[in-house]
Amino acid sequence: RSVTHRVTLNGIVRDRSAVPDDAMEPVLLLPWYETHAAGQGNSTLLIANGGEQDAEVDVFIGDPSLPESLRGHYSIKTAAAVQAELPGDSGGPVRIVCKNNQPLLASLRESGANHFSETTATGLSRLDRAYELTVAAGNGATATNESKLFVGNGNETDHLVEIRIGDELLRDPASEDSDAF
């Protein structure tokens, strides 16, 4: 079974897959939040409560061990959601924490006159896996065409990450000469 949600904004169409119930967790991560310059678009965190009681949610941008990274607190009713816009933040990794352990669903929506995307947050239990992406073939990056991979670590310990395209190792965490993560 497959469930998708189609969003159309300013003539741009995006489909995103639904998240199964067991993917909702009380701690969610997004690799990066970015504030856009005035008139260039906006970034919005969408946070939904999938629990059976009201959720008390803190949003951290940057290192969650630093007090200044706490950028918002939200009380979210059962089966409700909030839209959090944080215009004063320049950017950083996002950690969304439900203080009373309710399962959450969250995504980051970025939109502007010529762009629209939505990225679903990942729960901590899903970070210990190998991930696969499809990659469109192309002629490389240009001024208007570029591809980036964002990798985040939500654990309290460091981890080494390998990045492969097919069987080719792009980033070798054991090599000091590589751009290891």
Side-chain angles (χ1 to χ4, degrees):
R1 209 169 3 170
S2 175
V3 178
T4 60
H5 177 218
R6 177 166 285 177
V7 178
T8 304
L9 182 68
N10 299 329
I12 301 170
V13 178
R14 293 287 185 262
D15 289 322
R16 62 186 189 104
S17 297
V19 174
D21 282 346
D22 66 354
M24 291 192 290
E25 297 184 30
V27 178
L28 299 173
L29 304 167
L30 286 157
W32 199 261
Y33 178 92
E34 184 116 20
T35 297
H36 299 280
Q40 299 298 310
N42 69 358
S43 297
T44 304
L45 292 171
L46 308 168
I47 307 167
N49 179 0
E52 296 181 5
Q53 58 182 294
D54 293 354
E56 297 300 321
V57 178
D58 284 342
V59 174
F60 300 89
I61 297 180
D63 184 346
S65 66
L66 300 175
E68 63 269 19
S69 70
L70 178 58
R71 302 315 249 167
H73 176 82
Y74 303 91
S75 294
I76 307 172
K77 300 279 185 201
T78 304
V82 297
Q83 292 187 32
E85 292 186 27
L86 306 164
D89 292 304
S90 60
V94 179
R95 186 177 187 98
I96 301 167
V97 179
C98 182
K99 294 169 67 172
N100 60 332
N101 212 34
Q102 296 302 297
L104 302 173
L105 176 63
S107 64
L108 173 63
R109 181 175 287 178
E110 296 184 278
S111 61
N114 298 317
H115 69 278
F116 174 78
S117 67
E118 191 161 343
T119 305
T120 302
T122 302
L124 288 178
S125 71
R126 299 192 181 272
L127 293 180
D128 61 350
R129 303 171 184 199
Y131 287 87
E132 304 283 337
L133 292 169
T134 56
V135 179
N139 295 330
T142 66
T144 59
N145 178 20
E146 113 182 299
S147 177
K148 293 181 180 180
L149 180 64
F150 292 91
V151 179
N153 178 13
N155 298 297
E156 294 182 6
T157 57
D158 293 343
H159 292 274
L160 294 177
V161 175
E162 288 183 351
I163 298 177
R164 296 179 177 269
I165 295 181
D167 290 332
E168 182 183 346
L169 183 62
L170 239 53
R171 305 280 192 228
D172 182 0
S175 170
E176 291 181 20
D177 294 333
S178 78
D179 294 328
F181 297 101

